[in-house]
Structure formats: C-alpha cells, structure tokens
Amino acid sequence: MRLQTLLAYLVLNRGSPQSRQHLSFCFWPDSSEAQARTNLRQLLYHLRQAIPDSDRFFLADKQSLQWNPDSPFSLDVAEFEQAIGRAKKSAEQHDSAAMTSSFEKAAEFYRGDLFPECYEAWIEPIRTALKKEYTTALQKLIEYFENNRRYQKAIIYGERLLDCDNLHEKSWSDLMRLHALNGDRSKALRLYKECEKVLQRELGVEPAPELQKTAERLAAGEVSAEDGSDKEPKTRKQLSPDWDLVGRKHEWETLLNNWKQALDGACRFVCISGEPGIGKSRLGLELLHNVRRQGYTAAYSRSYEAAGILSYGPVAGWLREEGFYKQWPRLDPVWLKELARLLPELLVTYPELPHPGPLSEKWQRRHFFEALAKAFLSEDKPKLLFLDDLQWCDRETLEWLAYLFHVEEAAKLLVLGTLRPMEGATNEPLQNLLAELRSAGSMTEINLDGLDETDSLELAAQVAGSDMNPNPHIFRESEGNPLFVVEMIRQGYFRSGKSVFGKRERLTGTDTGPNSESMPLPPKVYTVISARFEQLTEQARELLWLAATIGREFRFDMLVHASGLEETLIIRSLEELLHHHIIKELRSGAYDFSHDKLREVAARTMTNTRKRYLHKQIAGAIEVIHNNNLKAVSSRL
C-alpha cells in the first residue's frame, strides 16, 4: 500500500518537483527526520524495482523527486480534468453540444472515488475536488438531456449522481421527476419508498417535507397513457402527440424557464405565435404533457372561430378538467353558486345550492370573477392553463384573464396561449390584454418560424417510419412548415425517396388545371391555406390570383399594367397581402409568395376562364414593359 501511495502522490503532483524533506514528513509525520528520510529512500528503492525501466519515469536528485511528465503514460485523472476544462470552455462559448460531449467524456473517465484505499490526509482534498467536479458534470448532463426531452439519457446520469451520495434528497427527487417525465410514474414512486428505507436505516429520519409532497403529487396525479392504463379520458388521448417534438430547442427552454418561474410563485403568460401549421399547438402540448407527468394540474381548452360569441367557453373547458373539478367540494357554497353560471351540472351535484341570478351590477361581475379565481387557485399548487387559438377567444374570458393577472400576481400559475397574429389583430380585447401583460412584464412571446432542413427531415422520418429515407425534396416543397411535412408524407408525396411533385413551373399558370400531372395538395394543407385566403378582401384576392398566374417574382409595374387598376388600389391590396404574410417583399423591390404552396393553392382556386384572361393580360403587360426589347422576353410571351 505504501508503494501505491507514493506512486499516486508523485503522479498526481507530476507538474512540479517534490522535496524529499516534504515527502518524508508527509508519509512519516511521527518519525524523526533522519528516520523518515531513510524510510523514503527504502520505499523509493522498492518502487524502482516494481516499475520496469524506472529511470524513464522518475526525475530524482539528492533534494527532490518528480514523476517525469514527459514519460509514456496515461492518467485517467488527467484525462478527466482535461475533459472538464474543455466543457467549461465550451460553456463560456455557449456551445452546449460541445459542452455536453466533453462532460460525457469526463463522466466516462470517472470510475469511482480517487484511490479509496488510501486514507492519507493529503489525498482527501484532491479526492473531494475531483468528486465535486464529477457531480457538477452529472448535474449539467441531467439538465441538458432533460431540457432536450431525452429522459432516458438523463435517468442514466441521475442514477450515477444518486450513487455518489444516496443521502442527498435532491438527487432522489430529481430521479423521481425524470422517471415521471419518462412516463414511468410507478418507478418514481418505488424510488420514494426506497429513499424512505435508506434515510431511516442510515439516519433514522423521514424524507424532507418537500420530497414527501412530490411523492404525494405523483401518487394523486391523473393517470396517463404512459402508465399503461386504459382509463385515460378520451380528450386526453386526442391531445396525445403522434410524434416526438422536433427542433424548437430555444423555444422549449423558454417554456421551461417560464414554468420554473410559476413553480417559484410567479403568475406568467406565454404567447406562442405563428402561421397556421407551424407547430404552435404541438409545442404547447409538449409542455402540457411534461407538467402532467410530474403530477401537476394542467388543463387544456381552445377557442373556435364559429363559437367566439360564447362567453367563458375556454374557462368552462378548464373547469371541467379532472384536476379542477376534484376541488369543487372544497369550495364554499357561495363560490360554487357563482360557478354554476358556467357549470349547470353543479346544481344537480349540489341540489341545495341556490340558483345564481343575472349579473346586472358591476360588483356582481367582480364577485363572479373572484369565484373563478378561487376555483383555479384554491390550492397553493402550481398549475398550467393552455388556451389554443387565442385569436378567436371571447371578450369575457380575456377580461377575466386580465383581472386574474392583476389581482393574483403571486399565484403559481402559467397561462399558455397560441395565436395567429394576423387573425388576432382585429380582436381588440385580446390586444388590450397582451398590451397590459407586456407593460407589466408578465408575458413572454415566442414567435415560431419554419423548421430548418435537418429538423424537417427528422420529422418526416418519424412520420414515415421505415417506409422512407429522408431526402431534400421534403424541405424544398414544405419550406419547413411542420403541417406540410406531415401531410405530404402521409399522402405519399415522397415514395422511393423521390418527390412526385411536378416541376415548380407546373404548379402555376396553365399547368394547374384538372389535367395537371402534379399531385393535389393534401386536403388539410389545402384547407389551411384556403382559410387564410377567405380572410382577404375581394380586391386583394383578385390581385392574389394575378400574382399566382405570373408564376414567379412579380414587380409593381407588372401588376399595374396587367390589372388595369389604379396604383393606390394596388398598393392597398399589396399591403393587405403583406400584412397576412401571404407575400413578401424582396430586397430587389420585387414581391414573391412567402410559401410556394400559397401560390399553388391560389392558382388552383381559379376557373380556367379566369386563367386564360389573366394570361392575356400578363402577356400584354410584358409587351408594354419590354416594348424596346421583345426578343429578350419572347420565351415568356
């Protein structure tokens, strides 16, 4: 053991010579100096005998000893420290992927406590420092993989962290949460029972109150499909995503940060905005399921365009979620009577309740708002309310939300909404609510754009399963819109790794008629785009058809000559199309469709008679504009 200890000391301090006097005192503190130096010489002699070709590894003179740092050897401690150093440097550069890779490498090198057989005082600070670096690396890895929804990988490092110190209750709590997020709540609860036994056996104590609350929340939480139960409500199954969330890393981290603020006692509002099909609801559902798996109450509701006049529709939907109607018996009858305005079934469940009268006075309305707030916040537990399609939300619900954020600033609540900005622009109560929340600093806004090519291919591969190898046609045709990717794959647009679309020119002009060789758009995609066009004025739609017939970038002068309209009217229609994100203005001053599928749908909604007329008008405009050089545009004509 003495040989190993001396070897370990020299290797760990390889960067500098170690005086013989210091070594003698360190290893034999209770011996005289002469005896200690003699012991050191004898130990060094035996060490040299044990190591072949020892002169290559030791630098020695009468005063000092040193392990030769240039000798051929490998040291797991050094490799561990180098990996930790690379990880910290990557963290400073905000390169999370490189940081994670380096931390994983460091975790591979760490196989256990440093030289556990050695009980010398000098090794303890080094051992402790290395273990601290290791546990920090594990915590970073857990955080990274949890934030990226790779719960199985996070669980691996969570188990290793627990092995480091099974008396650290936070490690138990973190591992329980990870198993719950991974859909294995029963495993999370078994871990709690194991934690109870360990703490009782080793310390004779019960788990901390916070850990007990976590276990109680998981035990009382709603049963989910991941737990293998067939008792899940039908609405819950309908909300279950069909595929894993792809991309959206920054947006997901933003959602998690807002949820953590709600856990700490803040009342937060998050608005996810973007065009139809861009993945707003899918991102929100990921958080909804994340929160539910942890045993917290999370309710879903949505607004409908046709039902916008129905007052408090989303609020009634939230109240009927299991996590909230379980709380009804705890409410005072005076508040239950107010809730019966939205939930008439309460009068059946509690026949002794008086029927609520009409809301004729302002104080009565405030009393009603207060009752709703108590229904959602009667328990001091974090909650999530998800409202899909904010743009169609009724005035009364929006006014109640404004009240809630005004009087319950410290509530543990996150309200999450999705919004189509152009359609929501005309909802004045909604705009008032958003402006008030921005001013108060209570809102976070997330604007979604299309997926990049890598994420588009990953989503396509998930939807197609083993039937397709990802190919670049998917991104080119969908331009990163997740709905388009999904529906195109489901309709078999990319069989055998090839696009079955016609050429881009075929999607417009005279080749868009019934005899076109290109496949029709998936019905859901066509419906989504057509709905956007229905919001336009008749004048803007006519300009849209003209632009689609041109079939490529178009300029203002072309629209003027081909339409025969006054310039001011054309400008007004262009601004309307820009406002609805149907077209975009290019740096060259020309215009183009913001997505080629918009051009295709616009072209397909025209009659053949209109197409022929517009082609004649466009040909005439080309003649006028290029009168001095018709040969250059003869192919277009």
Side-chain angles (χ1 to χ4, degrees):
M1 178 60 71
R2 280 290 187 180
L3 287 178
Q4 295 175 1
T5 304
L6 178 59
L7 177 62
Y9 189 97
L10 293 174
V11 171
L12 292 173
N13 293 280
R14 63 198 175 281
S16 59
Q18 303 298 311
S19 74
R20 290 176 180 261
Q21 181 181 10
H22 171 73
L23 289 171
S24 300
F25 177 78
C26 184
F27 281 83
W28 297 277
D30 298 328
S31 301
S32 65
E33 182 177 352
Q35 183 61 51
R37 290 179 72 97
T38 299
N39 293 343
L40 177 61
R41 285 194 298 271
Q42 291 176 349
L43 189 61
L44 181 59
Y45 170 80
H46 291 299
L47 184 59
R48 287 181 179 276
Q49 295 300 312
I51 298 178
D53 199 12
S54 61
D55 290 340
R56 299 175 62 188
F57 299 100
F58 294 103
L59 302 176
D61 56 33
K62 292 182 179 181
Q63 302 299 323
S64 63
L65 291 175
Q66 183 182 3
W67 179 268
N68 186 357
D70 298 325
S71 60
F73 76 103
S74 62
L75 180 63
D76 55 359
V77 172
E79 292 172 322
F80 172 81
E81 291 174 331
Q82 290 167 6
I84 291 292
R86 289 193 299 269
K88 291 180 177 179
K89 185 175 181 180
S90 298
E92 292 174 357
Q93 297 170 347
H94 303 289
D95 187 346
S96 58
M99 177 196 71
T100 303
S101 177
S102 296
F103 275 137
E104 284 194 282
K105 185 65 68 176
E108 290 176 15
F109 289 125
Y110 196 98
R111 307 294 177 84
D113 288 349
L114 175 67
F115 199 4
E117 299 85 1
C118 179
Y119 298 100
E120 301 284 350
W122 62 266
I123 201 171
E124 188 57 35
I126 304 174
R127 180 186 292 147
T128 301
L130 290 172
K131 188 171 184 177
K132 183 178 179 180
E133 292 283 14
Y134 174 60
T135 56
T136 300
L138 292 178
Q139 290 164 353
K140 293 290 186 182
L141 289 170
I142 292 168
E143 179 183 2
Y144 175 83
F145 288 116
E146 181 180 353
N147 287 346
N148 284 273
R149 305 175 302 283
R150 296 174 61 183
Y151 303 120
Q152 288 277 22
K153 200 74 179 284
I155 286 171
I156 293 172
Y157 293 112
E159 290 173 343
R160 293 180 66 172
L161 185 60
L162 186 59
D163 288 340
C164 290
D165 183 3
N166 66 354
L167 300 180
H168 189 208
E169 290 178 275
K170 186 179 185 304
S171 298
W172 289 98
S173 178
D174 289 344
L175 194 54
M176 288 169 60
R177 183 185 68 254
L178 292 171
H179 278 291
L181 289 172
N182 198 44
D184 194 349
R185 187 169 51 180
S186 59
K187 174 64 176 178
L189 293 173
R190 288 198 300 272
L191 274 173
Y192 177 74
K193 293 296 183 183
E194 186 180 343
C195 174
E196 276 187 318
K197 293 178 182 178
V198 169
L199 293 178
Q200 186 63 44
R201 182 180 66 246
E202 300 293 333
L203 303 176
V205 298
E206 296 292 325
E210 192 61 35
L211 189 55
Q212 293 181 36
K213 289 180 181 178
T214 299
E216 290 170 1
R217 188 180 68 245
L218 290 174
E222 302 165 44
V223 177
S224 64
E226 292 89 345
D227 291 320
S229 170
D230 57 0
K231 297 180 181 179
E232 186 184 21
K234 182 179 179 182
T235 55
R236 189 64 43 78
K237 289 182 179 178
Q238 292 173 340
L239 290 176
S240 299
D242 295 326
W243 52 84
D244 294 337
L245 182 65
V246 174
R248 310 305 191 197
K249 179 181 177 181
H250 173 71
E251 294 84 357
W252 176 245
E253 289 178 353
T254 301
L255 281 182
L256 285 183
N257 286 336
N258 277 270
W259 173 243
K260 288 174 183 176
Q261 291 180 53
L263 291 175
D264 292 336
C267 194
R268 299 293 301 166
F269 190 100
V270 176
C271 181
I272 307 174
S273 62
E275 65 182 45
I278 206 66
K280 304 181 296 297
S281 299
R282 178 63 188 83
L283 179 60
L285 286 176
E286 188 71 18
L287 183 65
L288 183 85
H289 287 278
N290 178 288
V291 169
R292 280 177 172 167
R293 290 188 192 109
Q294 297 180 68
Y296 295 105
T297 299
Y300 174 89
S301 190
R302 66 176 300 184
S303 303
Y304 296 91
E305 185 174 16
I309 59 173
L310 298 179
S311 301
Y312 303 106
V315 180
W318 286 332
L319 286 171
R320 287 190 171 96
E321 284 273 356
E322 183 178 357
F324 290 112
Y325 72 63
K326 282 181 177 180
Q327 300 176 28
W328 294 352
R330 303 190 186 111
L331 291 177
D332 191 280
V334 69
W335 305 122
L336 284 175
K337 183 188 78 170
E338 293 297 323
L339 294 186
R341 299 180 188 278
L342 301 184
L343 308 171
E345 59 266 33
L346 283 174
L347 298 175
V348 177
T349 306
Y350 304 98
E352 69 280 4
L353 279 181
H355 284 251
L359 293 175
S360 56
E361 302 291 339
K362 287 185 178 181
W363 69 266
Q364 292 174 316
R365 188 163 179 263
R366 181 178 180 84
H367 191 59
F368 173 58
F369 276 14
E370 189 176 355
L372 291 179
K374 287 188 177 297
F376 288 108
L377 305 175
S378 60
E379 289 187 318
D380 185 29
K381 297 179 180 178
K383 300 175 183 68
L384 169 67
L385 300 177
F386 182 11
L387 176 52
D388 224 348
D389 289 320
L390 272 170
Q391 68 277 359
W392 295 321
C393 189
D394 61 282
R395 173 186 292 273
E396 289 77 12
T397 294
L398 295 169
E399 290 178 347
W400 175 72
L401 285 173
Y403 164 85
L404 185 67
F405 275 82
H406 180 68
V407 300
E408 300 288 350
E409 295 179 355
K412 296 178 180 179
L413 177 68
L414 174 61
V415 178
L416 174 63
T418 65
L419 172 67
R420 301 179 188 180
M422 295 306 104
E423 297 172 48
T426 58
N427 188 332
E428 185 177 351
L430 172 61
Q431 295 304 317
N432 291 339
L433 171 65
L434 297 180
E436 184 175 332
L437 293 172
R438 287 190 195 101
S439 177
S442 302
M443 183 170 71
T444 298
E445 298 178 79
I446 299 175
N447 183 47
L448 293 187
D449 294 318
L451 301 174
D452 61 22
E453 183 171 1
T454 300
D455 291 336
S456 297
L457 297 180
E458 182 182 343
L459 175 59
Q462 280 196 50
V463 177
S466 59
D467 299 331
M468 186 206 75
N469 292 322
N471 65 82
H473 295 298
I474 300 167
F475 179 68
R476 187 190 68 193
E477 299 291 354
S478 68
E479 297 185 20
N481 185 296
L483 175 64
F484 294 2
V485 172
V486 170
E487 294 303 318
M488 288 174 185
I489 294 300
R490 285 176 171 173
Q491 295 292 322
Y493 274 56
F494 300 96
R495 293 187 297 269
S496 303
K498 296 181 180 180
S499 170
V500 297
F501 281 103
K503 292 182 180 179
R504 188 170 294 268
E505 289 78 15
R506 225 179 245 157
L507 301 181
T508 58
T510 55
D511 287 329
T512 57
N515 298 322
S516 172
E517 297 178 17
S518 61
M519 289 182 66
L521 281 171
K524 188 176 290 187
V525 175
Y526 189 90
T527 301
V528 167
I529 295 176
S530 298
R532 293 180 66 180
F533 293 165
E534 290 173 4
Q535 301 170 32
L536 301 173
T537 63
E538 182 178 353
Q539 185 176 292
R541 274 200 299 271
E542 290 184 356
L543 194 69
L544 177 72
W545 285 327
L546 176 60
T549 307
I550 293 172
R552 64 190 71 204
E553 294 179 11
F554 52 92
R555 304 189 69 87
F556 181 74
D557 57 352
M558 173 65 73
L559 297 177
V560 171
H561 290 291
S563 68
L565 297 173
E566 294 182 9
E567 292 186 1
T568 53
L569 295 178
I570 295 175
I571 290 172
R572 193 176 302 151
S573 296
L574 281 174
E575 289 175 343
E576 184 177 347
L577 294 174
L578 287 168
H579 180 71
H580 284 271
H581 293 283
I582 292 173
I583 65 172
K584 58 187 176 184
E585 190 169 9
L586 307 177
R587 289 184 178 180
S588 62
Y591 299 89
D592 199 357
F593 281 79
S594 59
H595 195 293
D596 204 63
K597 297 298 168 285
L598 297 172
R599 189 198 318 270
E600 180 178 352
V601 172
R604 289 181 184 276
T605 56
M606 287 184 282
T607 63
N608 287 329
T609 301
R610 182 181 289 274
K611 290 176 188 174
R612 284 192 287 270
Y613 170 76
L614 290 177
H615 274 287
K616 187 181 80 169
Q617 293 294 104
I618 293 167
I622 292 174
E623 262 191 303
V624 173
I625 294 171
H626 299 278
N627 186 41
N628 296 328
N629 190 12
L630 288 177
K631 186 176 180 180
V633 293
S634 58
S635 61
R636 289 180 63 190
L637 286 172

